[in-house]
Amino acid sequence: MKHLSSRIIIMLLSVAIIFTVVGCSSNASKESGTPAVAEKGKFPYTITDQAGRNIVIEKQYERVAMSSVRPIPAAYLAATGSINELVGINPSSMVAAKSSMLAVLAPNIVNLPTGFVEGNETNIEELMKLKPEVVFCLNTNKQEIDALEAVGIRAVGMETNGTDAIELFSQWAKLIGEVMGKENQAGAIIDHSRAVAQKVKEVAQTIPAGEKKTIMFLYTDDGKTIKVGGSNLYSQYWCETIGGINAAAEVSNVAVVNMEQIYKWNPDYIFITNFTETQPEDIYNNKYPGQDWSNLKAVKDGHVYKIPLGVYRWFTPTSDGALMLQWTAQKVYPQYFNYYNIETEIRNHYSKFYNYNLNDAELALILKPSSDAGSYKARTKE
Amino acid sequence: MDPVSHIESWEAAPKRHGIPLLTKVILVLLPLVVFVLSFGLGRYNVSPQAVWGILWGQAFNLPSSYPGTDTSVIMVLRFPRILMCLLVGAGLSMAGAALQGMFGNPLVSPQILGVSAGAGFGAALAILLSGSIFMIQTMALFFGICAVAITYAISRFKGGDSSVYMLVLAGVITSAFFEALISIIKYVADPFSKLPTITYWLLGSMANVSWQDLMMVAPIIGFGIVGLIIMRWRLNILSLDDDEARSLGININASRIMVIIFCTLITAASVSVCGIVGWVGLVIPHICRIIVGPNHKNLIPACLSVGAVYLLMIDNLARSLVSTEIPLSILTALVGAPFFAYLLSKSGGQWS
């Protein structure tokens, strides 16, 4: 009995301690968060994030973290011109950054802490150690948003679902620009992306129905399980915008399919994402037992391509989205999309929006990425 | 009916009434019929004539007049997959029946000794480490066998022969431990790429089973199946309580270890190539008991037939129902549960 009562007391005490600590820490950060003095006349101003919340921007933020949203660091770079304010990013973004051009454009990114996110969970206390003033997170993570706001950190919800990759990126860039007070810089890449998409759409409309090609996005193939990009995903947008047909439109999102289903679709073109180590050669050479690709039209015609890897995997919404459209369109319809040279477009894009002049090796690596981005092993820089 | 009286009736029941000839004929013919029909099912349309022509041509090495795609579908995609379904379905059902008998517990499945959790952990770990298919399969096999070895070791902590209860409890402990390890891996796995693969894999799938996969596990599963067929007489004795069995002059412990080894090999090899396929090893033995009674002499061969047919029919659905591959464990339970409930309502829970 004595034992039991002492245990209960210990439990009560520990609960009390936890509450005190939590209470203290939230008070402390509230105090440090509120006395923001408007340095310029524009503060405070109100914006709406992609969770539909009205957010007051009180000052020029200097410490920014990204928790549950992954493809954002590259968008941040494009929208603000640097990653100087970043103090922490998602571990998944880190792996992507290390295996992409982002680590070349913004070398400091590889030193950022990532330990505050594990899987889908954000450890708020661990995040607080980085003293962020604003955190970008998924708009659907209501609990995370509430927890962040409760400890005095401004949370900005971001939308990652959708098909229109250009528009998704544009919304991110717009929001980041608004939060960071860089609307002009963000506006430049948004306008450019939308203009390229518009031009591609116009040309695509001139393609007669009889010349429409079917395209399949091979999302992953580990030699066992085959996943393709269906409708309700960027695959649908890339296909439709360049005037093609998504062969896998009858499945939704990222779907597991078998080889027979792919025979049935028999696509004219196959694009392999950077989420998998699989390369076109693996498909041409029938590397995986149990998968015979040799009978497919795309394979017979030699139309299997690895999607380039720029600041991020081009399959997803990125600040390189305009280049993805131009590259895909030219691969499928070279006779219609003959008004640009893709290598020149890439060089200009990088110098204009990332202020970086690509050398030939870097350009080659973007266009012919290694398997490393798929295996999540960081590419070692030469 | 309580489990004990249920077990005691196993020996006596079938001697009163043998298996009707018709039942025997059906049990032999059904797998053959379903085997042949399965070649014609799938997302890609191959005409029955082409199926026959291709199989015939391949068997006698005739020049083929059929399109290469059709030949690929039949010989590369469907053939190994169909054989694998027969093998895994038969193996898991027989292992389930043997373990249910040995433990005298109708709730036992081949998972009871921790083999699936162990193998699942091995595979999940290999996926996390971006291992090759071969590495995934080898690690699944290795950890599956490890898990059962641990279970067996725990059951003998007190020294001497391990009792059935100790084995079951040790199996629960080992399963819980490895399932926790799987959870850790799922927790740290990248939710964008690795996690869906692990989750999908843990639900079981025959998608893209190759001849190589078949060559790798067929000898192991086959060994276990043959072993259980040979052991089926002893299973009746093992299902008695220890003293009774000993009085019949049988080395209980040695027989028990043999059964455990056969069942472990079957289950670990199955999991290593097609993930964790649930429900088959639990329910098929019960269905077979309704058909042929509880005597293992008949029950084990019946499980071979019905288990093989069941998993093959389920997989036919999994690969041809919709455009996406449906994980096997979802269908085995979704289709199997109502069917089992129907059988139960018909038999009133009487096994013999």
Side-chain angles (χ1 to χ4, degrees):
Chain A
M1 204 55 211
K2 202 177 164 190
H3 232 77
L4 187 66
S5 58
S6 66
R7 272 191 200 168
I8 292 176
I9 289 172
I10 290 174
M11 279 170 62
L12 286 177
L13 268 178
S14 32
V15 170
I17 289 170
I18 290 169
F19 270 101
T20 323
V21 169
V22 171
C24 279
S25 54
S26 69
N27 283 343
S29 42
K30 256 175 202 154
E31 278 157 22
S32 67
T34 36
V37 190
E39 300 124 67
K40 295 180 211 161
K42 65 175 182 175
F43 297 109
Y45 57 91
T46 306
I47 60 161
T48 308
D49 76 354
Q50 291 180 291
R53 299 157 58 245
N54 288 325
I55 297 174
V56 179
I57 305 297
E58 295 137 343
K59 57 171 185 165
Q60 186 66 49
Y61 294 119
E62 278 155 11
R63 300 185 69 81
V64 179
M66 292 159 175
S67 58
S68 45
V69 275
R70 292 179 188 82
I72 304 300
Y76 187 91
L77 173 68
T80 70
S82 80
I83 58 153
N84 293 343
E85 298 85 10
L86 292 190
V87 294
I89 60 172
N90 188 292
S92 184
S93 311
M94 177 61 84
V95 191
K98 281 183 176 169
S99 58
S100 72
M101 278 305 293
L102 188 55
V104 178
L105 304 178
N108 286 337
I109 198 160
V110 298
N111 303 320
L112 291 177
T114 58
F116 57 93
V117 179
E118 193 68 81
N120 271 325
E121 291 296 320
T122 303
N123 185 328
I124 302 283
E125 288 194 27
E126 198 64 36
L127 177 56
M128 284 167 67
K129 283 191 200 165
L130 306 174
K131 304 196 188 334
E133 296 160 326
V134 60
V135 171
F136 290 95
C137 59
L138 276 179
N139 60 345
T140 47
N141 280 14
K142 303 278 185 237
Q143 275 184 320
E144 187 185 348
I145 292 174
D146 290 346
L148 286 169
E149 294 283 351
V151 297
I153 299 173
R154 180 59 73 233
V156 180
M158 303 200 95
E159 172 68 58
T160 57
N161 285 326
T163 54
D164 188 336
I166 296 288
E167 222 19 65
L168 267 171
F169 162 75
S170 299
Q171 294 303 328
W172 294 344
K174 177 169 173 281
L175 188 56
I176 293 170
E178 287 172 351
V179 171
M180 300 307 296
K182 295 277 178 70
E183 289 93 338
N184 288 340
Q185 171 113 17
I189 185 144
I190 294 172
D191 292 345
H192 173 74
S193 302
R194 285 179 177 158
V196 168
Q198 190 53 38
K199 171 78 178 157
V200 168
K201 271 182 205 158
E202 279 164 18
V203 175
Q205 271 160 9
T206 66
I207 301 170
E211 290 182 40
K212 295 256 179 189
K213 305 288 186 192
T214 57
I215 300 163
M216 188 183 85
F217 280 90
L218 182 61
Y219 190 78
T220 59
D221 183 357
D222 57 11
K224 191 93 197 149
T225 311
I226 304 172
K227 292 181 187 171
V228 299
S231 49
N232 297 324
L233 196 69
Y234 323 122
S235 34
Q236 191 70 22
Y237 175 78
W238 302 128
C239 291
E240 281 175 358
T241 309
I242 65 162
I245 297 158
N246 185 4
E250 65 180 280
V251 297
S252 183
N253 216 312
V254 177
V256 179
V257 298
N258 57 35
M259 214 50 223
E260 276 190 45
Q261 184 62 55
I262 297 174
Y263 282 2
K264 198 174 165 189
W265 290 330
N266 200 12
D268 299 320
Y269 285 78
I270 294 175
F271 290 108
I272 308 170
T273 75
N274 293 296
F275 289 102
T276 176
E277 289 177 58
T278 300
Q279 293 279 356
E281 295 73 48
D282 302 328
I283 300 297
Y284 289 131
N285 300 334
N286 260 344
K287 181 179 148 194
Y288 303 122
Q291 298 179 10
D292 184 0
W293 292 83
S294 62
N295 295 303
L296 290 167
K297 187 164 186 305
V299 176
K300 284 180 185 160
D301 297 350
H303 289 156
V304 182
Y305 302 101
K306 187 84 172 176
I307 299 172
L309 177 69
V311 285
Y312 194 75
R313 305 182 179 94
W314 276 12
F315 178 72
T316 62
T318 68
S319 46
D320 286 351
L323 296 173
M324 170 69 178
L325 271 180
Q326 291 177 319
W327 178 83
T328 322
Q330 207 167 52
K331 280 286 177 235
V332 180
Y333 301 107
Q335 68 280 28
Y336 290 95
F337 296 93
N338 53 7
Y339 54 90
Y340 53 85
N341 176 302
I342 190 66
E343 295 193 359
T344 314
E345 292 290 321
I346 296 173
R347 282 184 195 278
N348 291 345
H349 189 93
Y350 273 66
S351 74
K352 186 173 176 196
F353 297 110
Y354 313 126
N355 199 20
Y356 187 88
N357 290 320
L358 292 170
N359 63 34
D360 291 349
E362 287 160 347
L363 182 66
L365 209 51
I366 290 175
L367 284 171
K368 200 173 182 330
S370 75
S371 299
D372 293 350
S375 73
Y376 280 81
K377 286 175 213 138
R379 177 190 298 169
T380 46
K381 277 183 287 157
E382 290 79 5
Chain B
M1 179 192 288
D2 69 302
V4 178
S5 63
H6 164 194
I7 294 154
E8 280 168 350
S9 69
W10 288 4
E11 253 307 79
K15 282 182 182 147
R16 286 199 298 273
H17 33 80
I19 315 282
L21 184 66
L22 182 66
T23 311
K24 284 183 183 167
V25 172
I26 291 176
L27 285 177
V28 172
L29 287 183
L30 196 61
L32 296 174
V33 173
V34 177
F35 171 73
V36 172
L37 291 181
S38 298
F39 278 99
L41 294 171
R43 299 297 300 175
Y44 189 85
N45 194 19
V46 184
S47 70
Q49 295 93 309
V51 172
W52 269 120
I54 289 163
L55 287 176
W56 205 253
Q58 291 284 335
F60 298 101
N61 222 356
L62 305 171
S64 173
S65 56
Y66 296 97
T69 313
D70 285 12
T71 313
S72 273
V73 167
I74 300 299
M75 296 309 298
V76 180
L77 306 181
R78 290 186 192 166
F79 209 145
R81 186 169 178 160
I82 288 169
L83 289 181
M84 188 67 94
C85 287
L86 293 174
L87 205 58
V88 170
L92 288 179
S93 311
M94 292 166 69
L99 291 175
Q100 282 175 5
M102 197 170 90
F103 288 119
N105 187 332
L107 293 176
V108 162
S109 71
Q111 272 91 325
I112 191 74
L113 295 175
V115 54
S116 291
F121 166 72
L125 187 64
I127 295 172
L128 186 74
L129 300 174
S130 304
S132 63
I133 295 299
F134 179 74
M135 183 178 161
I136 293 173
Q137 293 177 348
T138 317
M139 282 187 49
L141 200 60
F142 175 75
F143 278 100
I145 293 169
C146 271
V148 177
I150 292 171
T151 300
Y152 193 74
I154 294 175
S155 75
R156 295 187 58 146
F157 269 169
K158 294 276 282 180
D161 295 351
S162 49
S163 79
V164 161
Y165 292 109
M166 282 294 278
L167 262 177
V168 172
L169 286 176
V172 170
I173 294 169
T174 314
S175 294
F177 181 74
F178 277 105
E179 263 152 32
L181 290 183
I182 293 178
S183 297
I184 292 177
I185 290 185
K186 287 167 90 170
Y187 183 66
V188 300
D190 190 295
F192 233 41
S193 61
K194 298 281 157 65
L195 186 58
T197 311
I198 294 174
T199 310
Y200 181 80
W201 198 89
L202 290 174
L203 288 171
S205 172
M206 292 282 176
N208 303 310
V209 163
S210 66
W211 286 107
Q212 260 159 280
D213 296 331
L214 196 68
M215 293 305 161
M216 181 172 158
V217 298
I220 304 173
I221 300 181
F223 178 73
I225 287 179
V226 171
L228 286 180
I229 290 177
I230 296 170
M231 291 282 291
R232 67 190 197 276
W233 309 91
R234 292 220 170 166
L235 281 169
N236 285 339
I237 298 167
L238 283 181
S239 62
L240 303 173
D241 71 54
D242 286 11
D243 294 339
E244 251 182 292
R246 257 187 215 100
S247 69
L248 292 168
I250 297 277
N251 185 341
I252 296 282
N253 217 37
S255 305
R256 205 174 267 158
I257 292 174
M258 294 287 276
V259 172
I260 291 176
I261 289 175
F262 293 141
C263 293
T264 302
L265 287 178
I266 291 174
T267 315
S270 305
V271 177
S272 76
V273 75
C274 56
I276 298 177
V277 180
W279 192 255
V280 175
L282 175 68
V283 159
I284 298 300
H286 289 291
I287 290 173
C288 292
R289 244 171 247 130
I290 293 172
I291 302 170
V292 301
N295 186 337
H296 289 91
K297 178 188 149 233
N298 303 320
L299 181 61
I300 293 292
C303 280
L304 187 146
S305 163
V306 178
V309 168
Y310 182 70
L311 193 60
L312 182 50
M313 294 205 303
I314 290 293
D315 187 58
N316 285 340
L317 290 178
R319 68 191 160 92
S320 49
L321 211 54
V322 289
S323 316
T324 52
E325 278 272 349
I326 308 170
L328 277 179
S329 287
I330 292 176
L331 281 180
T332 50
L334 215 55
V335 177
F339 181 62
F340 187 42
Y342 167 78
L343 281 184
L344 268 184
S345 71
K346 284 284 167 188
S347 72
Q350 299 287 316
W351 300 124
S352 45

